[in-house]
Amino acid sequence: YATLDEPGNRHPTLQPGLHFAVNGEPDRFLFPHVFSRASGMTFICVYYDEHKGRLLPREFNDSMPEDDNLVSGYIIPGNEDVWNPETDLESLPSSWTRTDRTGKMRFDPKYRDRAPQRIYFKPDGSCSDDESEGLPGWFMPCEPKGLLFDPTAGVFFEANTSERTKLTTLGNEGRSTSTTITSFLTLDSLNRNGFLPRDQKLLSFTDNRQDAALQAGHFNDFIRVTFIRSAIAKALKSNPNGLDYTKIGPAVLEALGLPATAFAKNVVNDAPTFILDEIKRVFSDYLTYQAVYDLRRGWRVILPNLEKCALLSIDYVHLKETVDWKEGWNDIPVIAGLNNEERSEFLRNILDHFRLEYAVHSDVLLKESVLQENEKVFSDKLRADWAFDDLKNLFPAYLRRKRLSSRSRGKSSSMVITSALGKYIRQFFAEKAPEFAFNRESYDEILDSLLALLEQAGFVVKQERRDAEGQATYIYQLRLDRIIWKPGDGKKVQRDVVKIRSYKSFQEKPNLFFKRIYETDFSKIKALRGEDHTGQLKNELRIDRE
């Protein structure tokens, strides 16, 4: 929350409230401030009373005003370059705009009220369109259905996208996450400051037994995920040319540097070599699954994956050769005429979409029968804190052309022209060849040729299914053996351009906080574990934990 003063004189606070007294002056309104997930820029939550020329505070989750004269929206303070209608209008979806009789492009009447409006405001909340009247900003209406697009990053949103996917508050995490992060940082600080391993421990208090067990489980899950991800980052650093799915598990196992007793059931360190080799193979398979499962799109802001921290870069076998294969692209208009760099960008984004949707295929790892068998093996041979809760979560998704029969199992994503993939291809063609007649018919022909090329080049496999009308159709998955894990450069995050379509070339920044955590060498620090300590415990166990 903050007042509407100019930068440097604003009065920020983390405490919710409506007014703020400033040096004996009349109280000023406190406005909730949220931030673009794409650009990081500030959005101030307001109600705009156009008749009275007044801004009033609006809670982030409150979008429907009680007064008909108030319009819900956001103020983007300052920044002349946030919106330029002369150039930015051309980059918006064609359905949002129209050309008037003079040939000038304008917002379609249906979207006119959603356009950014230049506004000037004062600390007391008064505002107008007169630039002599205060601080500059842009007013972005958000009703109905929330923010239509983010002009600070040029990102478009689907109609059903929640506001919290577009914007974030400061302190967006829950209590369990806060406690876990604080606990980890405390223990990490003890280690960095030279405390003995036996003194690197803490006891936290809560007022209920269930919370104690929940918090211990939350902490252990956090440690397991960060432990494995840091080992993947370490393994990739040692293998700069990359690792495929057959090598990623053994490399991560080596990077972990754990004794067998740390992950195996009923095994001692001096067990025969053939026993230790067997259990290491099992644990290596487990780590392979963890690496594969992390290929999915990572939505969690609180625990971002290695890609979001610029510690992992995904490449594809024969990507360059496929880009150079001119004969294969001949049936795909526009793309066939691009240079290799542009064609590579297009192909990589398509393959990334398959991967991020977790539409991957492997008879060796991801068939249902194989998953079921491995679930039994992991449960039988690995300690409970390493075993998957449910290996069925690893069952892959797929991309489809048509709606499938209700009997079809598994998650799926559509590839029709109105899907995220269809909109990306439409936007790509509009940028490279505005004169191309892109419609439903031409899109279907392009998609036919593109999927045929991906199949011929060995990137995807297709399998027959039945659509909702009982007719034969196909589903498509990316072959796992075409994916290569490589180390990231620590600076550049590969943006998900299919799901996050933008007309501005903003660069997503790595999460530096979690980057530092994932760069921790856990093999050189004390193994961390949380347990609950309540009146339900037997006396001996309680004393041991104390």
Side-chain angles (χ1 to χ4, degrees), residues 383-403:
R383 290 172 54 155
D385 44 334
W386 289 106
F388 282 98
D389 294 332
D390 187 354
L391 222 59
K392 292 188 181 71
N393 291 331
L394 270 76
F395 194 74
Y398 48 84
L399 300 187
R400 53 179 169 78
R401 302 286 299 272
K402 298 180 180 178
R403 188 179 297 279

Side-chain angles (χ1 to χ4, degrees), residues 243-246 292 295 313-322 347-348 351-352 354-355 359-362 453-461 477-486:
L243 299 164
D244 64 14
Y245 82 98
T246 65
V292 170
L295 293 172
S313 174
I314 296 297
D315 201 0
Y316 300 94
V317 177
H318 298 319
L319 179 73
K320 183 180 182 304
E321 291 85 346
T322 305
L347 178 57
R348 183 180 292 278
L351 298 177
D352 277 346
F354 274 86
R355 173 178 63 84
V360 290
H361 174 87
S362 171
L453 177 140
L454 293 176
E455 189 180 4
Q456 290 170 341
F459 285 115
V460 304
V461 294
Q477 293 174 316
L478 174 67
R479 285 175 53 177
L480 182 61
D481 60 3
R482 288 293 179 265
I483 295 174
I484 302 293
W485 285 258
K486 287 187 174 181

Side-chain angles (χ1 to χ4, degrees), residues 61-290:
N61 295 324
D62 188 4
S63 61
M64 298 304 293
E66 296 179 3
D67 190 333
D68 292 340
N69 291 324
L70 300 180
V71 179
S72 302
Y74 303 94
I75 295 291
I76 307 171
N79 301 298
E80 295 284 345
D81 58 347
V82 164
W83 173 252
N84 183 346
E86 299 298 324
T87 57
D88 292 349
L89 264 174
E90 298 176 0
S91 303
L92 296 179
S94 57
S95 60
W96 295 9
T97 60
R98 61 186 299 179
T99 304
D100 64 17
R101 293 176 181 175
T102 66
K104 188 172 183 178
M105 185 171 286
R106 301 182 184 276
F107 266 95
D108 185 275
K110 190 165 83 170
Y111 293 98
R112 188 178 298 148
D113 293 339
R114 309 302 297 278
Q117 303 168 29
R118 202 68 172 117
I119 195 170
Y120 298 88
F121 57 91
K122 294 182 178 179
D124 63 1
S126 60
C127 62
S128 73
D129 57 4
D130 185 349
E131 61 182 298
S132 65
E133 287 294 307
L135 301 172
W138 294 93
F139 175 66
M140 287 290 297
C142 71
E143 59 174 277
K145 296 185 178 181
L147 198 65
L148 197 63
F149 69 105
D150 175 358
T152 66
V155 174
F156 313 120
F157 303 114
E158 302 294 332
N160 59 353
T161 304
S162 76
E163 290 296 274
R164 288 192 176 274
T165 300
K166 311 165 190 174
L167 305 165
T168 183
T169 58
L170 186 64
N172 198 33
E173 77 290 340
R175 184 177 62 177
S176 294
T177 299
S178 297
T179 305
T180 288
I181 294 287
T182 306
S183 300
F184 173 77
L185 292 180
T186 303
L187 294 165
D188 186 49
S189 181
L190 289 172
N191 176 62
R192 290 173 184 269
N193 284 281
F195 283 78
L196 296 174
R198 62 182 172 83
D199 294 326
Q200 296 171 26
K201 53 192 174 184
L202 62 85
L203 184 65
S204 68
F205 291 86
T206 182
D207 59 0
N208 128 356
R209 291 173 178 177
Q210 285 81 8
D211 276 0
L214 172 69
Q215 189 63 59
H218 191 283
F219 180 83
N220 292 332
D221 181 62
F222 171 85
I223 291 297
R224 180 176 58 84
V225 172
T226 55
F227 195 58
I228 292 174
R229 284 179 176 170
S230 69
I232 293 173
K234 183 180 176 183
L236 294 175
K237 199 171 181 180
S238 301
N239 296 272
N241 292 329
L243 299 164
D244 64 14
Y245 82 98
T246 65
K247 297 173 183 174
I248 188 78
V252 175
L253 176 62
E254 182 180 349
L256 282 173
L258 289 174
T261 51
F263 53 81
K265 281 183 182 177
N266 307 317
V267 171
V268 293
N269 281 328
D270 58 354
T273 303
F274 61 87
I275 295 295
L276 295 177
D277 288 345
E278 178 191 7
I279 195 64
K280 285 180 180 178
R281 279 196 299 273
V282 172
F283 193 50
S284 175
D285 289 343
Y286 165 85
L287 294 170
T288 300
Y289 276 116
Q290 288 283 11

